[in-house]
Structures are given as structure tokens and as C-alpha cells.
Amino acid sequence: MKSTTLGFAIVAALAASVSTGVNAANYAASQDTYIYEFFGNQGVPAGDSGAINIWNHETNHGTQGLLQFDSAWQSDAALGGAYSATMWLYSACVQGGFVGACAGQDGTVVTTDVVLQGTSWSEGDAALGWGDISQSSTPSASFTQTDPSDGWIAVDVTALIAEMVSSGTDYGFALTQEAHGVSRISSGSLAVSSFCDSESTSAQCAAGNYSPYLEISSVSAVPVPAAVWLFGSGLLGLVGVARRRTA
């Protein structure tokens, strides 16, 4: 019985290993900002919009981010079939100003939730405040940072995009850490998740095209070569012979 089970498991594994062909399209951020609970919208001219800075705090000195992408994604042909959607954020932590330490520094583990924003918003709205940001949704996504190094972070937002398509709404995403604990390094400074935004001018962000973007990819199954299936069938045959010899 064990040999038969192993044989079927091998064939099942071959079936599950079907590769995929992917055609991707990218959509740049059309709006991106972060809200400091105490100071308000940092995307307006009076704010500090040099990045999207996210952190949690015990009082009213935390922040949350907002992101929306070029609405052309809603007409992507891939949405009519099997697809995946990935949000790309470039982590580039520059200490100074509001940023005293970086996510992942001193062994900190920082988790950020990506949720569906429930209402419309404008990056340039000076009145945009803490209460305007959604802190949870179904579905949602999350990602965790344990390394303070600069680099791209890929977030699977397929389920969120599917919900937008189903509901016919697009208010973008909110980035929040409010459901998680406060992260501090050994000196007591808050560990901040800092991402390049579409207006970032820091040396790290200006070094390349590091603005946030949404990638939508069509996914189509690629048939496994016939030889592979024959190999799997042969294995099953050998398993049957072995069983007869041991019977």
C-alpha cells in the first residue's frame, strides 16, 4: 500500500508542477501619501512627503499610508481570465526627521497590513485625516520586514484587486500597522517602514525608478511535456511490479 501511495504521490506532484506563462502590465501610483495622526496629511505642500512612512505608536503619533494606482488597470485584459496582482514597494529608509530607525533594524520585526480603502480621497486634501483611513478589510494582505536594507518588496494583492473588480470600486489601498505592536530598536526609537513615493527626492529613491507600482499578470497553464507523463506512468508500473514480487 505504501508503494502504491508513493507512486500516486509522484504523479500528483508532476501534475501540480505545471509551469505557467505570464504576461505582465505595470501601473504607476497616481496618488500616495501618509497621514500622521497628530500632524495630518503629509502629502500636502505643508507636509513632509519625501516618502511613505508607516509606524505604530502608543499615542496619537502614529502614521498610516494611502496608495492608489493609475485607473487604467481596471481595463487590463488579464482581468477577464486567470491573473495575479502584485503591489511593489521600494523600501528605502533614510534616518532623520520623523524617521529615527528603520524597520528590521536591531532585529525588529515589523508587519504592515494592506487593506482596501473604503472611501475616496485626494493626496492634496489638507483636511484628509486619521479617521478617513480604513484600518481593516476583507480581504486584506500583509507583509513583514526583518531586514533594514534597501530593496523591493512584493505584496500579493490579487484578492484585493478581485474584490475591487467585483464591487466596481477603486479607492486604492491603506497601509497600516495599527493591528500590531509598537516596534522600537534598543535605543527606544520607533522602527519605521519607509517606502519611496512618486515624489520622493532622496538619494536612494532618486537613484532609480523606485515609485510604487501595481503589476497585473495574466497566467496561462503550459502543458507538461508528454515525456514527463510517460515517466510518471512508468514509475507507477514499476510500483505495481514491486508489489507483485513482494506479495
Side-chain angles (χ1 to χ4, degrees):
M1 176 62 76
K2 289 183 178 179
S3 297
T4 304
T5 301
L6 175 61
F8 280 113
I10 291 172
V11 173
L14 290 171
S17 65
V18 176
S19 59
T20 57
V22 176
N23 295 310
N26 298 335
Y27 301 93
S30 57
Q31 295 194 99
D32 44 29
T33 187
Y34 72 101
I35 310 300
Y36 194 137
E37 185 174 6
F38 185 77
F39 292 112
N41 182 9
Q42 298 303 296
V44 296
D48 173 19
S49 59
I52 304 170
N53 295 318
I54 313 297
W55 68 83
N56 194 2
H57 195 278
E58 300 91 340
T59 65
N60 61 348
H61 286 277
T63 65
Q64 299 178 100
L66 287 170
L67 274 166
Q68 193 169 28
F69 297 94
D70 185 343
S71 61
W73 73 260
Q74 298 174 72
S75 301
D76 194 303
L79 300 177
Y83 66 90
S84 65
T86 305
M87 180 175 67
W88 290 90
L89 300 171
Y90 193 84
S91 176
C93 185
V94 182
Q95 295 186 39
F98 292 149
V99 183
C102 305
Q105 188 175 334
D106 273 6
T108 53
V109 178
V110 180
T111 299
T112 302
D113 294 327
V114 181
V115 305
L116 292 168
Q117 169 64 8
T119 58
S120 61
W121 56 281
S122 171
E123 179 179 355
D125 182 3
L128 184 64
W130 193 259
D132 298 316
I133 305 176
S134 300
Q135 294 185 8
S136 64
S137 71
T138 301
S140 64
S142 65
F143 60 94
T144 299
Q145 294 170 270
T146 59
D147 184 350
S149 303
D150 293 355
W152 285 105
I153 295 175
V155 186
D156 183 356
V157 293
T158 306
L160 285 76
I161 290 295
E163 177 62 25
M164 287 185 184
V165 171
S166 175
S167 65
T169 59
D170 175 17
Y171 302 129
F173 303 132
L175 277 60
T176 177
Q177 297 175 1
E178 293 300 298
H180 306 282
V182 176
S183 296
R184 295 182 183 273
I185 65 170
S186 55
S187 68
S189 295
L190 290 165
V192 175
S193 297
S194 188
F195 309 105
C196 295
D197 68 7
S198 55
E199 299 96 10
S200 295
T201 57
S202 68
Q204 287 92 328
C205 294
N209 184 18
Y210 294 147
S211 297
Y213 67 95
L214 175 67
E215 177 184 68
I216 296 180
S217 303
S218 60
V219 181
S220 57
V222 177
V224 172
V228 176
W229 292 112
L230 288 174
F231 174 71
S233 299
L235 285 176
L236 276 178
L238 289 174
V239 169
V241 170
R243 288 191 66 214
R244 285 195 294 272
R245 287 181 176 176
T246 57

